Amino acid sequence: MNEQLINTPDYDPYSTAEGSTRLWNRNYVLVMLANFLLFFSLNCLMPILPIYLSEQLHADKDVIGDVMSSFVITALIIRPFSGYIVDRFPRKTVLVMCFLAFMLFNVGYIIAGTVTMFAIVRALQGLAFGATSVANSTVAIDVLPSCRRSEGIGYYGISNNLAMAIGPSVALFAYRVFPSITYVFILPIASALAGCILVGLVKNSHREINIAKEPLSLDRFYLLKSIPEGITLTTFSFASATLLTYVAIYSKQELGLYSAAGIYFLVLSAGLIISRILTNSWVRKGYIVRNVKLGMLLITIGFLMFVSINSIIAYYISAFIIGIGYGTMCPSYQSMFINLAPNSRRGTANSSYLTAWDVGAGIGIFSAGYIARQWSYHTVYWLCTALCVLGMVAYFAITARHFSHNKLR
């Protein structure tokens, strides 16, 4: 079927679920499991690398920030091109190749014995992850029935949240128990390999690829219509990435909570998962803007509690509230990007969402190291709180109205 003949935004010529309303089909389950394994691999290293770089390689706080942010920066660089590639080449082939590359770069952590080598491996893996996450989520959207796509995006995100709950806790436990860091690095390798095998089993419908004759433009790599949405999103991705990257070392060095970070990730993830399950019916009913507003409000309250109340109870309650907030906001926010683009540019819309997320995350992780060195991690999290307030005000005043005027479905 010629995609160039299809101009209506609601038409889906290559969904494997066309004509069916079944959400939990075989291909969707495989892609969702693969996504869990991808993010489990990623989250195993999130709390470990800052501690390892600090205690074993004696890196300064700003250097740790540089190393950790290199991953996000390279992922950001590759995102727009990834969207173009998955729209122009067979998506399953692209996905398998990217997944394999991500797994191979995990091996690099075993042989990297210096800060410089860690930075190189981290940066290269960011390229692989950026492409893999775009391809995997786009294939997931492809295999969903169009009438249940927003709902499916919400459930798909649960696999990320489960990985966030389990990965850091397993990695922190392994780091304490095993005599060598090498054993910890084996975990993400095995997880990524299993994910690569699963995506190889996906059977998505053939879609005819026709290279458009229109000249290349910026809009082919980033959905320009979504710029207001992207700018607002960066404030919340800044806060999220900074929290997840530095909460372990912050809890240990500034709060004196030496074993609390693992539980913090579990509580945060519980909030994420519960909110996605409870709010999916709202997404199905079309309450996208309302979900985002509620999520932003909860995130802001959670961060305010996290930085202003010096109590272990408030510490864990803030994790739950922040988790509920992001679980409510993120699926609807991704649906906003998808609904701003025709189906023929689904990959570009998806990569635009992830690109906007990575811009804020990269700036957050990079700048937090320098801010913490000059002041403290506590100051970093006050900045995160302020940015959440700013992003919420911008969304209520500008972004929500822009989406309502420009959405295609």
Side-chain angles (χ1 to χ4, degrees):
M1 187 175 295
N2 191 327
E3 287 185 24
Q4 292 178 316
L5 298 179
I6 308 302
N7 297 315
T8 57
D10 292 326
Y11 186 80
D12 188 354
Y14 37 82
S15 173
T16 59
E18 186 178 358
S20 170
T21 59
R22 184 183 177 190
L23 176 63
W24 297 101
N25 62 77
R26 171 186 177 275
N27 291 319
Y28 176 65
V29 172
L30 285 174
V31 177
M32 190 172 177
L33 288 174
N35 189 63
F36 167 80
L37 292 168
L38 174 68
F39 278 87
F40 178 86
S41 178
L42 176 68
N43 282 289
C44 275
L45 296 169
M46 287 293 286
I48 291 299
L49 284 184
I51 295 175
Y52 180 74
L53 288 167
S54 175
E55 297 182 353
Q56 301 297 321
L57 300 182
H58 309 292
D60 292 333
K61 292 178 179 179
D62 54 341
V63 174
I64 294 173
D66 292 342
V67 174
M68 297 301 293
S69 63
S70 64
F71 178 94
V72 182
I73 292 170
T74 52
L76 169 62
I77 292 172
I78 201 66
R79 292 285 200 200
F81 301 102
S82 302
Y84 179 78
I85 290 170
V86 298
D87 281 341
R88 291 305 178 192
F89 297 95
R91 286 174 178 162
K92 178 181 174 180
T93 302
V94 172
L95 175 56
V96 171
M97 292 176 64
C98 293
F99 225 121
L100 182 61
F102 177 82
M103 185 274 294
L104 291 175
F105 283 125
N106 267 320
V107 179
Y109 290 114
I110 296 179
I111 61 177
T114 66
V115 174
T116 301
M117 286 298 297
F118 260 88
I120 293 172
V121 172
R122 193 73 177 156
L124 291 175
Q125 191 180 43
L127 292 172
F129 174 78
T132 305
S133 55
V134 169
N136 201 71
S137 56
T138 305
V139 170
I141 295 169
D142 280 348
V143 300
L144 285 167
S146 58
C147 63
R148 305 190 69 178
R149 188 164 293 137
S150 294
E151 182 185 5
I153 291 173
Y155 284 122
Y156 178 83
I158 292 178
S159 59
N160 296 20
N161 306 145
L162 285 173
M164 183 191 301
I166 299 172
S169 301
V170 171
L172 287 167
F173 175 79
Y175 185 71
R176 291 194 303 269
V177 172
F178 294 124
S180 172
I181 192 68
T182 301
Y183 293 103
V184 182
F185 293 145
I186 289 175
L187 292 173
I189 296 173
S191 178
L193 178 60
C196 188
I197 293 172
L198 288 182
V199 296
L201 298 175
V202 173
K203 296 179 180 179
N204 57 333
S205 299
H206 171 75
R207 96 190 148 94
E208 187 175 333
I209 308 296
N210 290 300
I211 304 298
K213 295 181 180 180
E214 61 189 57
L216 290 181
S217 63
L218 180 60
D219 199 44
R220 286 302 299 126
F221 299 99
Y222 189 89
L223 191 65
L224 297 181
K225 189 190 296 185
S226 67
I227 287 178
E229 285 74 13
I231 292 174
T232 307
L233 181 62
T234 58
T235 61
F236 286 90
S237 63
F238 181 107
S240 174
T242 304
L243 177 68
L244 296 180
T245 302
Y246 297 107
V247 68
I249 195 169
Y250 167 69
S251 301
K252 181 177 181 180
Q253 294 184 356
E254 298 193 17
L255 300 181
L257 303 173
Y258 292 92
S259 60
I263 300 175
Y264 190 91
F265 280 108
L266 286 172
V267 175
L268 179 73
S269 300
L272 284 163
I273 294 168
I274 290 171
S275 63
R276 285 181 182 269
I277 294 174
L278 294 179
T279 61
N280 251 350
S281 60
W282 302 350
V283 176
R284 188 167 61 247
K285 294 176 182 178
Y287 300 148
I288 292 177
V289 172
R290 191 177 303 177
N291 276 6
V292 173
K293 288 180 177 179
L294 176 60
M296 287 180 171
L297 180 61
L298 290 171
I299 293 166
T300 304
I301 293 172
F303 267 98
L304 185 61
M305 179 179 291
F306 180 75
V307 298
S308 62
I309 304 178
N310 187 15
S311 163
I312 188 67
I313 296 176
Y315 176 81
Y316 289 125
I317 291 177
S318 70
F320 189 69
I321 294 175
I322 292 171
I324 291 177
Y326 278 106
T328 302
M329 183 192 80
C330 289
S332 294
Y333 220 114
Q334 187 172 9
S335 294
M336 287 172 61
F337 279 77
I338 300 300
N339 291 346
L340 287 171
N343 284 327
S344 61
R345 299 191 59 204
R346 186 182 295 157
T348 301
N350 201 36
S351 70
S352 297
Y353 167 79
L354 295 171
T355 297
W357 183 273
D358 285 347
V359 168
I363 295 173
I365 296 173
F366 179 79
S367 62
Y370 288 91
I371 296 171
R373 185 180 184 183
Q374 293 297 320
W375 291 281
S376 66
Y377 285 114
H378 193 71
T379 303
V380 170
Y381 290 126
W382 269 115
L383 175 61
C384 291
T385 305
L387 286 174
C388 287
V389 173
L390 179 63
M392 182 172 60
V393 171
Y395 185 86
F396 275 65
I398 301 172
T399 311
R401 188 179 307 141
H402 175 271
F403 170 71
S404 298
H405 290 167
N406 290 278
K407 63 182 179 180
L408 298 181
R409 48 189 174 274

